[in-house]
Every structure is written in structure tokens, then in C-alpha cells.
């Protein structure tokens, strides 16, 4: 929210600078995002009036004007603006004036005619980005007065970033209340007097949805002047609050919104049929909004309707069919309280976010409506005239918010703040905040005012005292914590250790959203049941991820689209899966690689990363745990059918997946290179086998190489498992070092070369013992997988 400092100081004006005021608000929990001047720096510009106009003798588009600027004689100024005319009051830059951009005004000649100044537009004064002509000032603007003083341009715009719980500060009055409390200044709200009623005409109002709208006020104002213009002071205050002027009727409602924090709406009474009803929308009911959007309503949407149709989305936005225009003569002014729980989320459902919904979602003072409608009525009458009808009020006391008392223990306050404050100080803070206080033996019982929805528990009251007293005034104290060191388990590898390993292998850690695009989720995991968000931030963040690959793929694509041709990323996080109707969160570790195996260099020939490179990364992870895992060729929807593997523990538990992205999915997502992925269940991947010491043999080891002919479908794992099944105690290590297909090898077969390292702990192995071991191994290989020695 942004407000004018000058407007704020009209309410309460402490003797502190802008810098001190900003610091004060920030330390009180109302963080100030920025402070900016309302206009660029310029000088020497005054209010002028065009007295006479003559055509320039040598230029069709130029006029020679005589302009009164408060001096003895009028100035001759040549002007080319299309809206210049006799009697117009405008900003006039005198000789010696300096405009934004350090543009200095000097005496000059335009096509041979002398000009002693310059008539200015909003753009030339830095008040607007663009302008169609001269800035037109009101007819009563005093000639010769400095334009900065007349428009109060020596002002700052303060932008406050409010947390959702501080809806009471979504107005100038609310922030002024805070400033008064912080500076211990007297404060009272301006009470709007009752406007004299000129006629007794009104509209019948019925509230069917009493829970959602406990209080509704309406008033008929007849005969407003459709040609009236919003006064400049109001336009300026709205502009400095980030709202453009839309005509006096709408401007008044926006002004009250910023001034008091109460949204209002004005209907063109001539466009209404019958009575006004506050009701729930009908299924599939249509409503054309002021922004040109046409929406289809659900039965849980609250609307303002007449006897014919829905007129407005209650608390959010009005409808175009009942909007005021330049022809409007009679208006129905609406001011209501809508329950936050009934407005929250409705605007986002229709892709909307308005100043009105922003306030009603967070909570508006339920006692503010009468004061707001009287204030708005008086402003409309002052600006656009008209005759005022009586207020029609429909109220349901039973459904109005009731503020429960909150008890604060004195001992609890002292323990939390570390300081004993005087009772008088605490009572003064409470009273200045507008709280109703009853002193008790051991503390205070407090009833919050209607505008403080955020005070509900004891901790809220402690926070109020701390921030008003000043966080910087609280004593510093060291925390005393007694704890016992627990035993560090050796059965788990820490996640940080695995992250360090991946970083050492060239990966970078990524953090992606748990919310993902449903299209990507379905493409990557088409069989997974997804959890949809009720109020997603956007359509691209609509479902919870069931795999970390969704975010990694999107991050990799983002990088490759920006000429990053080598990507190695990993992420640890949660995935969300539905199992038997129960939402479960699983900790996962996933990685993605694409591009070259190493960065471009002169010392090593470049090649693309392949399946076995990322498999080596996964094996390195399990090497830290000391656990053996099995890679089996199993198809997975997101992976290439010929380059995918399921990863399982020795006990057969599924740990994760590894493989190359499916070509169809690769093309669908927009990759132009092969992408390799892995994903592991952290709960299983981090399990560690505690190493057990084995004595080193003092006897020599022996290596024997074998070249086996096996069927093409026989995997390396099957060969190793088959050899291990022999249970030869002297067999220490099996290493496959070559695979050959081609000449002298039958089609459908392959040659696998491997080495067997043999060593005995009690003796040196003899040739006969070694030969016996090899024979038993070969016999087992032939029997189980039909392997035979290559000739």
C-alpha cells in the first residue's frame, strides 16, 4: 500500500523527519519498501493564466500567448499545445526555471517570435509518463503561486508492505493511528456528521446470505451532476496512492477506500430493476465485470443482485451492466461488511485481485460502514451535487463478528520480554491501541477493537507491547540452553555428505517448486494420481509433484534455452503421492545430466554424456554407504525403453530409477539433446553398511583372465552373481574389463572378458588349486547361463 506523507501528516504530525518516520514504521512491523518524491525535482514554475492568443505569423501550429504569471506585465510565450485557450490556467515555467532532466528555460525565439518562458504539461513536470497537452489547472488556481506549493509536490510517497494480519493499516487513518501510538500523541477518528436527507425514496434491500453479509447499507442519491469533475486535491491524493481518477463518483469510493479502509460501490440507479438482494449466485449464472471480463459463477460466490440479474461480485468487483457513466444522474451508494471467510479465495478463482477483495479477505471493521457511507455521501454532494435519501440498513447482529476477551498474565509478559514494565505503561499502550482493558490481580483482560482481527491470543498482546515499547529498547540476553549430546548413528550416511559428493562430481544443487505444471506432471508420470491445489498461484503451479524430475527438467530446459549446453543438477526434496487415499510425503534425491561429459578443453577429447556416466554417479553414492545395489532393465514411462533401469537393494527393495529421458518426451519438452536422470528414495539410499575389519593376507594374490561366450540377453550382473554363487572363499574380486561383438562371435551372443582375483588367507595357492577353482566356476557358468570359454 502506498500513501502520501503529507496526507498522513494531516492526521497526525509528529516532530520527526521522513527518515525517522520510515524507520519507526518499519520497526513497528509495518515494513516500508520504498520512499519516493511525488514529482521530479524542478523549480521556477508558477500558476499562469492565458489572457490572449494570436496565431504565429510563420507557423500554423504555434500560438503566441500573453500569460499572466503574477508579475506587473504578462509574459509573451509561444506555445504549440492543442488545448491552449484564453482563460486556461496552466503551469508556466519562467526564464531561469529548471525542469526535470536539468532542462533550463531561457529566453528564446521560435520562428522569429520571442518567447519568455514555457507552458508545461504533466509529462514536462515529471508528473506523468505521457500527456496529450498542457496540464489544465482549476479555474480558481491563484495566479503566480509556485506550482510545487499549489499542488503540494514537496511530498513523499511511502510504500508500506503490510503482512496479511495487519488489515487495520490498509488506510491512511490506520497508519495514522499507528504513528500516533508510536509517538504517544493524542488520537481520535474524525466523526462524519449525518447528511441532511432531502427525499424519502429508497430501494428495498434483502440480505439472504446473512452469514456472509451481516451488515449492508444503501442510499439513493438523485440528481448528481454528470459533468462534475473530481477536484484536483482528490485526484492528486488518489494518484499518490496508485489509483487513477475515473470520475467523481468512482473517485469518491476509492478515496474512502484509501482514507478509511472501507470499500464502497456505486450503482447507476437507472440501470437497476426492482430491489437489491445480497444472495449466493445461481449455478452457471453469468456476470459481466467492470474490467470487461465475463465470468460463470458457482453457488458459493456471493453476489449483489436486483430482480433481474446479478449486478456485482460482492466484495470484489462491480458489474458493467450497472456501472455509472457520464450520463448517470441517480446513484445507489452501497457500503457493506462481508465476512472474510466468504470472500477469501473467490477473487483468485476468477483470476482477480482488487483493492476491495484485498481488504475484505483480511478483515474490515464491522462498525465502520455508517461512518464511511456518510463521509462518501458528503463528498459526492460537495463535488457533484444531488439530493440525498435515507440510509437503508439491514443488519444481523447474530452473525456480526464478536471479539472475545484475551487474558494476559503479567508473569508471562515479563518472561517473554525479559523486562518488567510498569502497569501504567502497559495500560497506556493498550488504551492508545484502542483496546478495552480490565485490570486483574495477575494481569489484564483485553477486548480488541473491531479493526484488530489479528489480536486473538496472549502472544498477540505481548507482541503489541513489544513493538510499541520498541524492540530496540528490550534488553539483550543470552539464551541458556541445557542439552545432552546424543550419539551419532553410523548406520546412516548424511544427506550433506552425498550432496558434497555430487558437487565434487560436477553437479549443482537446485531448489524447485513442490507445485508443478499438470501437463509436465502427466507427461513424466502419467500413471501417478496427483493432488490438485484448490487455489493455485498460477496454472503452471497447479498440482503437487509426484517426482522431482518435473522441476529438474524445467530448470534444465530453462538453462539450455540460454546457451548452457552442459547441465548437471541435483535436488533433494519431497514428493507427494496418494496411497490408498492417504497423502504421503517421501524424501527423494534426484539428478539430471545433459551435454558433454566434461567442459570444453584441449587436454581431453569431448564426448556426450551417456547412460553409464550417470550410472557411475549413482554407484558412487552407494559406494559411500557400502551397500550393494542391483540395476535391472525395467521400463519406466518417462525413460527410454532400452536405457532405463530399476535400482534395488540386496534385499530387493526398490530404491529408485535411472535412465535416459524418453525420446517422445524429450521432443515434447523441447530438448535438442539426450537427457539422463536418476531418482532415489532417501530413506533407503542413505542406509549404511557398517564396515567390518578383515585381516590382510600375507600370501600373494593370483589373477586369472577368462573370455566367456554368453547369450546377448545375459547381463554382467547375472555373470557376477553366477560366479559368486560358487562360494569360493579364495575368490576376492571379479572385474569385467571388455565386451566384444563381431567376427568369430555368433549372432545373438557376445564375448565377455573378466578377471578373477584369487587369494587365500592361510597359504599360497598352488596351480592345481587355482585350476580346480576355475573349473568349478566354469562348470557353474555353463550350467546356469550356458556360458563357455571363447576359443
Amino acid at each position: 500500500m502506498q500513501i502520501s506523507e503529507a496526507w498522513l501528516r494531516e492526521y497526525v504530525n509528529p516532530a520527526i523527519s521522513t527518515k525517522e518516520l520510515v524507520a519507526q514504521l518499519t520497526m513497528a512491523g509495518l515494513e516500508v519498501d520504498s520512499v519516493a518524491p511525488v514529482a521530479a525535482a524542478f523549480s521556477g514554475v508558477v500558476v499562469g493564466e492565458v489572457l490572449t492568443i494570436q496565431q504565429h505569423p510563420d507557423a500554423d501550429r504555434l500560438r503566441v500567448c500573453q500569460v499572466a504569471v503574477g508579475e506587473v506585465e504578462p509574459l509573451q510565450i509561444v506555445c504549440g499545445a492543442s488545448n491552449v485557450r484564453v482563460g486556461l490556467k496552466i503551469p508556466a515555467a519562467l526564464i531561469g526555471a529548471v525542469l526535470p532532466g536539468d532542462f533550463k528555460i531561457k529566453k528564446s525565439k521560435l520562428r522569429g517570435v520571442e518567447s519568455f518562458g514555457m507552458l508545461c504539461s504533466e509529462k514536462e513536470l515529471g508528473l506523468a509518463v505521457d500527456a496529450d497537452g498542457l496540464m489544465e489547472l482549476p479555474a480558481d488556481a491563484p495566479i503566480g503561486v509556485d506550482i510545487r506549493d499549489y499542488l503540494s509536490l514537496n511530498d513523499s510517497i511511502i510504500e508500506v508492505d503490510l503482512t496479511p494480519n495487519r488489515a487495520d493499516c490498509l488506510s491512511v487513518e490506520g497508519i495514522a493511528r499507528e504513528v500516533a501510538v508510536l509517538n504517544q500523541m493524542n488520537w481520535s477518528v474524525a466523526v462524519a456528521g449525518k447528511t441532511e436527507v432531502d427525499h424519502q425514496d429508497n430501494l428495498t434491500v434483502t440480505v439472504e446470505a446473512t452469514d456472509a453479509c451481516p451488515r449492508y447499507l444503501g442510499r439513493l442519491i438523485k440528481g448528481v451532476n454528470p459533468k462534475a469533475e473530481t477536484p484536483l486535491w482528490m485526484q492528486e491524493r488518489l494518484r499518490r496512492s496508485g489509483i487513477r481518477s475515473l470520475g467523481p463518483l468512482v473517485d469518491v469510493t476509492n478515496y474512502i477506500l484509501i482514507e478509511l479502509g472501507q470499500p464502497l460501490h456505486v450503482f447507476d440507479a437507472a440501470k437497476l430493476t426492482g430491489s437489491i438482494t445480497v444472495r449466493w449466485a445461481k449455478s452457471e449464472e453469468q456476470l459481466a465485470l467492470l474490467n470487461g471480463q465475463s465470468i460463470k459463477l458457482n453457488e458459493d460466490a456471493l453476489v449483489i443482485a436486483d430482480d433481474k440479474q446479478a449486478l456485482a461480485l460482492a466484495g470484489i468487483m462491480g458489474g458493467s451492466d450497472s456501472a455509472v457513466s457520464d450520463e448517470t444522474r441517480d446513484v445507489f451508494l452501497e457500503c457493506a461488511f462481508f465476512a472474510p471467510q466468504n470472500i477469501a479465495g473467490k477473487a483468485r478463482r476468477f483470476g482477480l485481485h482488487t483493492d476491495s477483495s484485498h481488504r475484505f479477505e483480511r478483515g474490515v471493521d464491522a462498525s465502520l460502514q455508517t461512518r464511511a457511507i456518510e463521509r462518501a455521501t458528503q463528498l459526492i454532494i460537495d463535488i457533484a451535487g444531488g439530493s440525498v435519501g435515507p440510509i437503508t440498513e439491514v443488519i444481523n447482529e447474530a452473525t456480526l463478528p464478536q471479539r472475545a476477551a484475551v487474558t494476559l498474565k503479567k508473569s508471562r509478559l515479563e518472561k517473554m520480554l525479559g523486562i518488567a514494565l510498569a502497569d501504567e505503561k502497559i495500560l497506556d499502550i493498550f488504551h492508545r491501541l484502542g483496546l478495552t482493558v480490565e485490570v486483574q490481580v495477575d494481569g489484564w483482560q483485553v477486548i480488541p477493537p473491531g479493526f484488530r482481527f489479528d489480536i486473538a491470543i496472549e502472544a498477540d498482546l505481548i507482541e503489541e507491547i513489544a513493538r510499541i515499547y520498541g524492540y530496540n529498547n528490550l534488553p539483550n540476553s543470552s539464551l541458556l540452553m541445557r542439552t545432552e549430546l546424543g550419539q551419532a548413528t553410523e548406520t546412516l550416511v548424511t544427506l550433506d555428505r552425498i550432496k558434497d559428493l555430487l558437487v565434487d562430481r560436477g553437479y549443482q544443487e537446485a531448489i524447485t517448486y513442490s507445485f508443478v505444471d499438470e501437463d509436465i506432471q502427466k507427461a513424466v508420470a502419467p500413471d501417478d494420481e496427483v493432488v490438485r491445489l484448490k487455489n493455485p498461484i498460477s496454472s503452471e503451479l497447479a498440482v503437487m509433484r509426484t517426482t522431482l524430475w518435473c522441476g529438474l527438467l524445467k530448470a534444465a530446459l530453462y538453462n539450455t534455452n540460454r546457451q548452457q549446453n552442459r547441465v548437471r543438477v541435483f535436488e533433494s526434496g519431497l514428493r507427494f503421492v496418494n496411497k490408498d487415499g492417504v497423502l504421503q510425503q517421501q524424501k527423494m534425491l534426484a539428478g539430471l545430466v545433459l551435454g558433454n561429459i566434461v567442459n570444453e578443453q584441449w587436454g581431453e577429447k569431448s564426448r556426450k554424456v551417456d547412460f553409464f556416466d550417470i550410472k557411475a554417479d549413482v554407484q558412487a553414492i552407494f559406494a559411500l554407504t557400502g551397500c550393494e545395489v542391483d540395476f535391472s532393465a525395467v521400463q519406466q514411462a518417462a525413460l527410454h525403453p532400452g536405457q532405463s533401469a530399476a535400482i534395488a537393494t540386496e534385499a530387493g527393495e526398490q530404491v529408485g530409477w535411472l535412465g535416459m529421458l524418453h525420446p517422445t518426451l524429450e521432443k515434447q519438452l523441447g530438448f535438442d539433446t539426450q537427457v539422463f536422470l536418476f531418482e532415489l528414495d532417501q530413506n533407503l539410499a542413505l542406509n549404511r553398511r557398517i564396515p567390518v575389519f578383515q585381516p590382510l593376507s600375507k600370501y600373494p594374490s593370483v589373477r586369472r583372465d577368462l573370455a566367456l561366450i554368453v547369450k546377448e540377453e545375459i547381463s554382467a550382473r547375472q555373470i557376477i552373481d553366477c560366479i559368486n554363487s560358487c562360494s569360493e572363499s579364495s575368490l576376492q574380486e571379479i572385474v569385467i574389463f571388455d565386451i566384444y561383438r563381431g567376427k568369430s562371435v555368433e549372432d545373438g551372443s557376445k564375448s565377455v572378458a573378466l578377471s578373477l582375483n584369487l587369494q587365500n588367507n592361510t597359504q599360497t595357492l598352488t596351480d592345481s588349486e587355482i585350476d580346480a577353482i576355475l573349473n568349478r566356476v566354469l562348470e557353474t557358468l555353463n550350467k546356469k547361463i550356458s556360458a563357455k570359454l571363447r576359443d
Side-chain angles (χ1 to χ4, degrees):
M1 175 185 174
Q2 61 184 52
I3 61 169
S4 158
E5 182 185 355
W7 190 3
L8 175 65
R9 288 185 181 272
E10 286 187 11
Y11 279 83
V12 55
N13 190 13
I16 57 177
S17 66
T18 301
K19 184 177 180 180
E20 292 171 323
L21 175 63
V22 166
Q24 198 176 69
L25 289 172
T26 298
M27 288 306 298
L30 310 181
E31 183 179 358
V32 175
D33 274 352
S34 64
V35 180
V38 299
F42 65 84
S43 61
V45 182
V46 300
V47 176
E49 181 180 8
V50 179
L51 301 178
T52 63
I53 297 177
Q54 292 181 340
Q55 179 65 47
H56 191 289
D58 293 325
D60 293 338
R61 295 186 178 183
L62 296 180
R63 305 287 187 274
V64 180
C65 307
Q66 297 297 319
V67 182
V69 293
E71 298 181 357
V72 178
E73 296 292 334
L75 299 181
Q76 177 174 287
I77 298 176
V78 178
C79 175
S82 59
N83 63 330
V84 64
R85 60 186 181 275
V86 173
L88 179 66
K89 290 189 175 179
I90 33 63
L94 308 179
I95 293 176
V98 180
L99 299 184
D102 199 29
F103 180 68
K104 297 178 181 179
I105 302 300
K106 302 176 182 178
K107 177 183 175 183
S108 60
K109 281 189 177 183
L110 297 178
R111 294 287 187 93
V113 177
E114 290 185 327
S115 181
F116 297 90
M118 175 180 173
L119 306 185
C120 302
S121 67
E122 289 98 329
K123 180 181 179 181
E124 288 156 342
L125 295 180
L127 299 178
V129 177
D130 200 2
D132 294 330
L134 298 177
M135 181 179 184
E136 299 190 14
L137 301 177
D140 59 355
I143 298 173
V145 173
D146 191 302
I147 198 71
R148 296 192 70 91
D149 295 333
Y150 177 67
L151 295 177
S152 300
L153 297 181
N154 299 314
D155 186 14
S156 299
I157 296 175
I158 301 175
E159 185 175 359
V160 185
D161 185 12
L162 295 171
T163 51
N165 63 315
R166 292 309 306 271
D168 59 298
C169 290
L170 285 169
S171 64
V172 177
E173 185 178 277
I175 294 180
R177 184 190 301 115
E178 285 289 302
V179 173
V181 174
L182 294 170
N183 291 278
Q184 300 182 17
M185 301 177 68
N186 293 327
W187 161 262
S188 61
V189 298
V191 179
K194 289 188 176 181
T195 307
E196 184 178 347
V197 175
D198 301 314
H199 63 82
Q200 295 301 317
D201 295 340
N202 58 25
L203 296 180
T204 302
V205 176
T206 304
V207 178
E208 296 178 359
T210 54
D211 289 344
C213 181
R215 172 175 279 137
Y216 187 95
L217 282 71
R219 161 174 273 170
L220 197 61
I221 303 176
K222 293 184 173 183
V224 298
N225 179 8
K227 304 300 181 183
E229 294 185 1
T230 304
L232 187 61
W233 63 266
M234 181 178 286
Q235 291 186 42
E236 275 298 299
R237 286 185 172 181
L238 289 175
R239 181 182 71 83
R240 297 172 197 187
S241 301
I243 299 175
R244 63 188 179 92
S245 176
L246 297 171
L249 298 175
V250 177
D251 286 350
V252 166
T253 62
N254 286 333
Y255 186 82
I256 300 300
L257 176 89
I258 300 299
E259 182 183 52
L260 304 181
Q262 171 67 53
L264 298 95
H265 188 66
V266 60
F267 298 93
D268 188 331
K271 298 177 181 178
L272 304 180
T273 302
S275 59
I276 295 294
T277 303
V278 184
R279 60 172 174 81
W280 298 109
K282 301 171 185 176
S283 180
E284 304 295 312
E285 189 171 9
Q286 297 284 337
L287 175 61
L289 297 175
L290 286 171
N291 64 355
Q293 180 180 350
S294 183
I295 60 175
K296 187 180 294 184
L297 302 171
N298 301 322
E299 294 180 356
D300 62 345
L302 188 67
V303 298
I304 313 299
D306 61 7
D307 294 344
K308 180 182 177 183
Q309 62 184 347
L311 303 173
L313 195 55
I316 299 175
M317 184 178 287
S320 58
D321 292 339
S322 58
V324 295
S325 66
D326 293 340
E327 307 301 322
T328 298
R329 298 299 302 248
D330 302 333
V331 298
F332 180 71
L333 181 63
E334 167 197 274
C335 186
F337 171 79
F338 299 112
Q341 63 269 24
N342 294 107
I343 303 299
K346 299 299 189 301
R348 287 191 297 277
R349 178 188 299 174
F350 299 110
L352 303 171
H353 182 269
T354 64
D355 289 328
S356 179
S357 67
H358 188 79
R359 285 160 176 77
F360 278 125
E361 286 176 344
R362 288 156 174 76
V364 172
D365 186 358
S367 63
L368 183 60
Q369 288 70 48
T370 300
R371 186 159 69 96
I373 199 170
E374 290 286 7
R375 172 75 167 140
T377 301
Q378 189 59 57
L379 287 173
I380 290 175
I381 297 303
D382 291 345
I383 297 170
S387 60
V388 179
I391 294 176
T392 300
E393 181 176 13
V394 178
I395 183 171
N396 187 340
E397 296 283 357
T399 55
L400 280 173
Q402 303 297 322
R403 306 314 310 274
V406 182
T407 300
L408 172 61
K409 300 286 186 182
K410 188 173 183 179
S411 58
R412 178 68 172 169
L413 176 65
E414 294 178 1
K415 182 179 179 181
M416 291 291 290
L417 299 187
I419 188 173
L421 296 176
D423 292 357
E424 294 77 12
K425 179 69 174 177
I426 294 171
L427 284 173
D428 180 65
I429 291 175
F430 283 161
H431 287 145
R432 289 185 182 281
L433 287 169
L435 312 180
T436 303
V437 187
E438 179 183 330
V439 179
Q440 297 183 334
V441 176
D442 57 348
W444 304 267
Q445 189 178 66
V446 178
I447 299 177
F451 53 81
R452 290 303 299 270
F453 283 79
D454 59 316
I455 299 178
I457 59 176
E458 186 181 44
D460 296 330
L461 293 174
I462 296 174
E463 180 188 5
E464 289 301 297
I465 293 172
R467 70 184 190 83
I468 300 303
Y469 180 72
Y471 293 118
N472 291 334
N473 297 325
L474 297 177
N476 295 324
S477 58
S478 300
L479 293 176
L480 180 61
M481 181 184 298
R482 294 183 176 89
T483 184
E484 294 182 2
L485 291 176
Q487 292 183 346
T489 179
E490 293 185 353
T491 60
L492 292 175
V493 177
T494 64
L495 180 61
D496 285 342
R497 178 66 186 91
I498 292 181
K499 288 182 178 181
D500 289 342
L501 170 73
L502 291 171
V503 170
D504 291 342
R505 297 180 74 89
Y507 284 79
Q508 292 180 307
E509 185 174 9
I511 300 175
T512 65
Y513 285 112
S514 297
F515 315 137
V516 297
D517 190 326
E518 187 169 2
D519 291 339
I520 294 180
Q521 172 64 45
K522 286 182 177 180
V524 174
D527 299 328
D528 290 353
E529 182 181 350
V530 298
V531 178
R532 292 179 176 83
L533 301 179
K534 289 186 177 179
N535 296 304
I537 300 172
S538 71
S539 61
E540 294 182 352
L541 301 170
V543 300
M544 306 295 287
R545 65 186 179 190
T546 65
T547 171
L548 273 59
W549 287 348
C550 296
L552 291 180
L553 285 167
K554 189 173 181 180
L557 186 62
Y558 183 90
N559 279 272
T560 56
N561 287 340
R562 286 156 182 80
Q563 293 81 47
Q564 299 301 312
N565 299 321
R566 182 176 183 268
V567 178
R568 299 173 73 88
V569 291
F570 75 91
E571 179 178 14
S572 63
L574 296 173
R575 74 168 187 153
F576 305 85
V577 293
N578 251 324
K579 287 191 176 180
D580 302 324
V582 178
L583 178 62
Q584 296 184 6
Q585 301 179 90
Q586 293 182 354
K587 293 181 179 179
M588 306 297 291
L589 176 68
L592 177 150
V593 296
L594 60 82
N596 293 334
I597 185 64
V598 294
N599 285 319
E600 187 176 3
Q601 55 170 295
W602 62 268
E604 184 175 344
K605 186 177 179 180
S606 179
R607 68 172 178 84
K608 294 290 186 181
V609 69
D610 61 23
F611 176 87
F612 295 102
D613 292 317
I614 194 169
K615 180 183 178 184
D617 294 334
V618 173
Q619 287 176 319
I621 293 174
F622 287 103
L624 290 176
T625 70
C627 297
E628 291 287 339
V629 291
D630 180 51
F631 297 87
S632 55
V634 179
Q635 292 189 14
Q636 205 264 10
L639 301 178
H640 191 295
Q643 295 195 47
S644 64
I647 308 171
T649 64
E650 293 174 294
E653 292 181 286
Q654 176 93 14
V655 181
W657 290 94
L658 164 72
M660 186 176 83
L661 187 65
H662 197 289
T664 302
L665 191 54
E666 176 187 306
K667 183 177 180 181
Q668 178 182 336
L669 294 177
F671 288 100
D672 57 3
T673 187
Q674 293 177 342
V675 181
F676 295 88
L677 305 134
F678 72 82
E679 186 169 39
L680 307 174
D681 186 334
Q682 282 189 37
N683 293 330
L684 297 175
L686 300 182
N687 289 331
R688 182 180 183 184
R689 176 184 291 169
I690 299 176
V692 178
F693 174 74
Q694 291 183 347
L696 299 176
S697 176
K698 61 182 179 181
Y699 301 101
S701 63
V702 178
R703 169 174 168 155
R704 290 290 185 267
D705 293 345
L706 301 175
L708 303 175
I709 300 295
V710 297
K711 296 295 183 183
E712 185 67 51
E713 62 269 16
I714 300 298
S715 66
R717 171 55 59 186
Q718 287 176 288
I719 297 173
I720 293 173
D721 289 345
C722 184
I723 296 174
N724 285 329
S725 69
C726 297
S727 302
E728 294 290 343
S729 60
S730 298
L731 182 59
Q732 302 298 324
E733 185 181 24
I734 307 167
V735 177
I736 295 176
F737 60 84
D738 186 47
I739 297 177
Y740 173 75
R741 301 174 181 87
K743 189 177 179 181
S744 75
V745 177
E746 296 179 3
D747 292 341
S749 298
K750 59 187 175 183
S751 172
V752 179
L754 52 86
S755 67
L756 305 180
N757 290 322
L758 306 173
Q759 189 178 35
N760 195 290
N761 290 328
T762 60
Q763 65 175 30
T764 300
L765 292 172
T766 64
D767 288 342
S768 60
E769 289 172 331
I770 294 170
D771 291 341
I773 292 172
L774 293 178
N775 288 334
R776 288 193 294 271
V777 168
L778 289 171
E779 183 180 349
T780 302
L781 287 168
N782 183 262
K783 183 178 180 180
K784 290 188 174 182
I785 60 174
S786 302
K788 60 182 181 180
L789 280 175
R790 180 181 172 187
D791 297 333

